[in-house]
Amino acid sequence: MFSKILIANRGEIACRVIKTARRMGIKTTAVYSDADRGARHVAMADEAVHIGGSAARESYLVVDKILDAAKRAGAQAIHPGYGFLSENAGFAEACGQAGVVFIGPPPAAIRAMGSKSEAKKIMEKARVPLVPGYHGDDQSPELLAKEAQRIGFPVLIKASAGGGGKGMRVVEEAAKFGDALAGAKREAKASFADDHVLVEKYLTRPRHIEIQVFADSHGNCLYLFERDCSIQRRHQKVIEEAPAPNMDPARRKQMGEAAVAAAKAIGYVGAGTVEFIANQDGTFYFMEMNTRLQVEHPVTEMITGQDLVEWQLVVASGGKMPLTQDQLRIDGHAVEVRLYAEDPNRNFLPSTGTLVHLRLPTEGLHVRVDTGVREGDTVTPYYDPMIAKVIVHDRDRTSTMRRMAALMGETEVVGVTTNAGLLKALCSHPAFVGGEVDTGFIERHRDELFAKMGQADDRAFAIATLARVAESTPRSNDPWDQKNGFRLLEVGHDEVHWKDGEREVAVIVRRLRSGMLELGLPGGPVEASVQRGDGRLAIRLGNDTFTAAVVRRQVADGTDYTLFADGGSQRLRLVDPLDVTQYEAVAAGEGSVRSPLPGKIIDLKVKAGDTVSRGQPLLVLEAMKMEHTLAAPADGTVKSVRYGVGEQVPEGAELVEFE
Ligand code: ADP
Ligand code: ADP
Ligand code: MG
């Protein structure tokens, strides 16, 4: 076995490989780009080597830099993860020449499956069933159009070198074939520098079912059952599960054996996946083979109790696979969801930004979370916008989905838009839970799944208002609190204004003699109380007691409050920024502005000598995961600014002094 490996990847897969290596007593070297200096995989590895600029082509895709890092680190092998160089035969070859083991299949096997057209030719010979289609070398538009006619519409045009759903076009009728072909070729050329395409029958309501295969260098080859990855958007997986719903044992064996035949046909070694497209009646056809570990491998690990990265390391170091086909069993059901920083309502456009608040499900007996980010990290435009994979394992499919829907409802992300709401809707959709599974599911059920973020109700306005009250009511044991007399709502009443889209709502807050609050909500008055604790608010609203997380975030044109409660989330805009700053600046007291909370200065907007007017922002303080803008309490001149950007300040610290 190796004593040290280098991981030529980033994000959750790099972290995941490190985890297994560590358990096996293998040292790890990470590589990182500029954008990843502070990334989780860098912190997790035993050592890390900087390999270049943020763009992948300046770092994670540069063969020489990675080999050089491996040499300097004294790594005996390289794990490529997935994406990046994992299916690059040239890289696998270069590793061999440099005397480093490539943890993956032989270069020839990668090459054989690298082109979807070539792969289909090989599979044809191995008698693996193929989707009716054309995968020949003649690429003249006339011939391709004629082939499409022969296959029968609808057809699918695919880039032979394709991946990630790029260079694919569905064509419904002959008249549209020419334009679609030109489009697919343009996209293929741009993405893969190769515009070779194939044409195949476009199946209606198909399922994506894939088989995990494994082979060692001693001639053993087996399958670790199937995964159903039919829930997709833009031909890309969103939810994956194992075993596939409604799979009968005979069909499983048939598909498993077809996949093993495919692997054997190309002299495969290591972990691979043979992807099939299946009709609802169970008939299936070879689609492509991915010659690497797959994003969704955890569901297979959960139902088989195996660690596929461990298997990869054993096989790559020349060992035999730990088990034989007969020893493998399916235990229960597993599902994985891909939590993406993307906006389902804007055609799944990736969303970038800093994860100012991140609460992922807690790992446990039934729950696994593979992630490459932590709170405070940034989702950049450079790489895949995946935040985490959440995996649930339970005794049957229904329990698994119920558990996952609940976990998605408890997931809290502020700073980027995510698909958590969609994932929750999917895992609790009666049709999906009932076993309706095909690649058109999301589109067909769009209306129910994409229910727009509901209009805020009284409960939402109450939670947001209580969050504001809690902010201005420091815990009573605060010594500084005693010095400073200010408290919002000490006497009389106050009004908080919220905006929910275009709708504006004022909530009147009164402190009752009993110590309770009375909230004047659109639907009438309600008694309430709130307590701060451990990042969450303990709320009593009428007869209801519950907790909520509220994250306050300064945005360019105001202050947003994101509420997480009742398994959902809501965003409200606080109206009148002056109102925000007023209470925060009240700390001013004797001609100075003090820090209302312990925190860090992240922006200074004034310097000594500046004249400021009442309400003008002075600085931004980051505290309790939120940004607070402190403003001038009155017109005046700045005498001194006591702290610099990046400095940590204690609660009550004098930040800005006035003449
Ligand atoms: P899988 O096939 O393993 O389920 P994906 O198809 O989503 O997963 O791709 C695996 C990884 O490879 C992801 O990190 C994805 O961003 C990356 N990837 C997919 N297609 C491409 C591509 N054409 N070029 C580079 N990276 C890609
Ligand atoms: P990629 O390299 O992008 O993963 P695939 O060939 O694996 O490309 O196809 C991606 C997805 O496109 C499949 O999971 C499936 O949803 C859809 N697809 C591919 N081929 C067909 C087909 N012949 N009929 C219907 N859908 C298909
Ligand atoms: Mg695929």
Side-chain angles (χ1 to χ4, degrees):
M1 183 47 68
F2 314 114
S3 54
K4 191 178 203 179
I5 61 170
L6 178 137
I7 299 145
N9 216 299
R10 63 177 304 282
E12 58 88 16
I13 184 57
C15 297
R16 190 257 164 277
V17 173
I18 292 170
K19 219 165 160 182
T20 292
R22 176 147 308 146
R23 187 172 55 68
M24 295 173 70
I26 300 168
K27 292 264 177 246
T28 53
T29 303
V31 293
Y32 64 96
S33 68
D34 288 345
D36 279 340
R37 268 176 208 289
R40 182 168 185 257
H41 76 277
V42 175
M44 266 182 80
D46 293 306
E47 60 182 35
V49 183
H50 177 249
I51 51 164
S54 301
R57 70 188 135 68
E58 293 172 18
S59 48
Y60 298 108
L61 288 173
V62 185
V63 172
D64 291 342
K65 287 187 178 181
I66 287 172
L67 288 177
D68 188 49
K71 238 177 265 171
R72 277 189 289 149
Q76 298 135 339
I78 297 180
H79 195 300
Y82 35 66
F84 296 132
L85 295 170
S86 62
E87 294 183 284
N88 184 316
F91 176 63
E93 242 157 32
C95 287
Q97 281 154 12
V100 187
V101 175
F102 173 76
I103 303 171
I110 301 178
R111 210 159 263 137
M113 290 296 173
S115 156
K116 291 188 207 281
S117 303
E118 293 309 309
K120 285 181 95 170
K121 287 179 194 163
I122 297 168
M123 291 305 113
E124 209 164 23
K125 282 201 199 113
R127 306 240 186 118
V128 177
L130 299 182
V131 188
Y134 171 80
H135 49 265
D137 296 330
D138 190 338
Q139 292 285 298
S140 78
E142 297 74 28
L143 176 100
L144 292 171
K146 222 172 78 195
E147 286 295 329
Q149 201 73 53
R150 176 184 63 79
I151 297 161
F153 290 92
V155 298
L156 181 64
I157 304 173
K158 265 189 206 180
S160 297
K166 290 197 197 94
M168 279 198 343
R169 289 284 192 289
V170 180
V171 195
E172 304 287 347
E173 50 176 313
K176 294 187 177 153
F177 188 83
D179 285 348
L181 177 65
K185 280 190 173 279
R186 260 197 314 275
E187 208 168 287
K189 186 98 198 162
S191 300
F192 316 108
D194 176 357
D195 70 356
H196 195 283
V197 298
L198 60 85
V199 184
E200 62 187 30
K201 180 82 189 160
Y202 185 65
L203 307 188
T204 47
R205 291 188 78 154
R207 290 171 64 176
H208 173 120
I209 299 178
E210 58 186 35
I211 304 287
Q212 175 71 58
V213 292
F214 232 105
D216 62 23
S217 52
H218 302 273
N220 304 303
C221 185
L222 51 73
Y223 60 94
L224 292 100
F225 316 114
E226 78 280 1
R227 294 183 286 257
D228 190 308
C229 314
S230 301
I231 304 301
Q232 306 183 344
R233 46 112 178 84
R234 297 198 297 186
H235 298 301
Q236 288 289 287
K237 301 157 187 168
V238 183
I239 297 184
E240 301 108 339
E241 57 181 309
N246 311 315
M247 172 68 87
D248 70 79
R251 182 78 69 183
R252 171 173 297 132
K253 185 157 187 284
Q254 204 185 355
M255 292 181 85
E257 283 168 0
V260 166
K264 281 185 171 162
I266 55 166
Y268 205 75
V269 178
T273 297
V274 181
E275 296 188 334
F276 293 104
I277 189 107
N279 282 309
Q280 292 292 325
D281 68 7
T283 50
F284 62 93
Y285 310 101
F286 172 83
M287 197 156 48
E288 66 163 342
M289 179 169 182
N290 291 323
T291 52
R292 53 170 163 89
L293 194 68
Q294 204 105 339
V295 173
E296 56 276 21
H297 74 278
V299 293
T300 300
E301 297 187 320
M302 301 302 259
I303 61 156
T304 58
Q306 302 302 308
D307 180 335
L308 296 188
V309 172
E310 179 177 352
W311 281 44
Q312 284 189 300
L313 293 168
V314 168
V315 165
S317 60
K320 283 189 179 157
M321 285 188 288
L323 296 178
T324 61
Q325 190 72 60
D326 297 341
Q327 292 171 318
L328 286 161
R329 295 272 177 283
I330 295 178
D331 168 32
H333 199 89
V335 62
E336 168 182 290
V337 299
R338 300 190 190 190
L339 180 66
Y340 275 113
E342 66 180 21
D343 189 349
N345 284 313
R346 291 173 69 199
N347 198 22
F348 303 97
L349 192 73
S351 165
T352 56
T354 300
L355 300 163
V356 294
H357 174 85
L358 179 66
R359 187 166 177 256
L360 295 173
T362 311
E363 293 199 307
L365 193 58
H366 296 277
V367 183
R368 165 172 166 184
V369 178
D370 281 17
T371 184
V373 295
R374 299 152 300 188
E375 187 169 273
D377 286 352
T378 299
V379 178
T380 71
Y382 300 112
Y383 319 110
D384 193 280
M386 189 156 71
I387 298 170
K389 303 188 303 204
V390 179
I391 304 108
V392 164
H393 183 211
D394 212 329
R395 62 180 181 282
D396 56 37
R397 187 169 186 268
T398 317
S399 326
T400 305
M401 294 303 169
R402 190 190 318 118
R403 208 181 273 280
M404 183 62 87
L407 291 178
M408 285 302 104
E410 292 162 16
T411 299
E412 298 172 0
V413 186
V414 181
V416 296
T417 305
T418 78
N419 61 344
L422 174 64
L423 294 172
K424 183 186 172 193
L426 281 163
C427 292
S428 50
H429 195 288
F432 177 58
V433 175
E436 185 186 311
V437 184
D438 64 86
T439 63
F441 190 93
I442 292 182
E443 277 312 310
R444 190 165 61 250
H445 295 283
R446 224 186 153 76
D447 292 348
E448 308 121 68
L449 294 170
F450 286 59
K452 289 263 180 307
M453 221 194 251
Q455 263 219 339
D457 52 11
D458 275 17
R459 193 173 167 95
F461 290 118
I463 294 170
T465 305
L466 291 170
R468 261 191 67 58
V469 172
E471 281 167 7
S472 60
T473 317
R475 278 150 293 190
S476 52
N477 58 353
D478 281 346
W480 176 70
D481 187 33
Q482 320 298 320
K483 267 190 282 170
N484 185 289
F486 175 77
R487 262 191 204 167
L488 184 74
L489 310 169
E490 185 101 310
V491 284
H493 77 274
D494 223 296
E495 244 179 78
V496 188
H497 293 253
W498 299 105
K499 242 179 144 173
D500 170 32
E502 288 310 299
R503 177 167 164 238
E504 208 175 308
V505 165
V507 181
I508 297 168
V509 191
R510 276 178 221 285
R511 195 178 285 280
L512 305 173
R513 275 175 203 279
S514 61
M516 290 288 283
L517 301 167
E518 186 190 75
L519 304 182
L521 295 161
V526 181
E527 273 195 30
S529 71
V530 61
Q531 270 187 325
R532 237 182 0 191
D534 211 22
R536 291 183 83 77
L537 300 173
I539 291 175
R540 206 175 118 197
L541 191 63
N543 294 324
D544 221 2
T545 309
F546 58 94
T547 68
V550 179
V551 182
R552 173 185 160 151
R553 182 164 169 246
Q554 211 74 40
V555 289
D557 50 348
T559 308
D560 278 348
Y561 281 64
T562 309
L563 327 177
F564 297 99
D566 314 319
S569 74
Q570 186 89 43
R571 193 157 63 208
L572 294 175
R573 167 70 51 90
L574 184 69
V575 183
D576 184 9
L578 252 189
D579 182 45
V580 185
T581 48
Q582 262 173 12
Y583 93 88
E584 283 170 336
V586 216
E590 340 80 44
S592 62
V593 164
R594 291 172 185 272
S595 174
L597 293 162
K600 190 166 113 185
I601 309 285
I602 57 170
D603 193 14
L604 273 180
K605 299 184 185 295
V606 294
K607 55 181 189 315
D610 285 0
T611 49
V612 296
S613 46
R614 183 182 141 82
Q616 185 180 328
L618 302 173
L619 56 87
V620 182
L621 180 76
E622 187 186 71
M624 285 184 72
K625 301 171 184 169
M626 300 185 284
E627 291 184 8
H628 305 262
T629 301
L630 303 197
D635 297 350
T637 306
V638 175
K639 189 171 162 198
S640 65
V641 178
R642 297 289 177 83
Y643 294 88
V645 170
E647 274 189 88
Q648 208 69 38
V649 297
E651 182 165 334
E654 191 170 63
L655 303 175
V656 179
E657 205 187 352
F658 295 95
E659 298 282 359

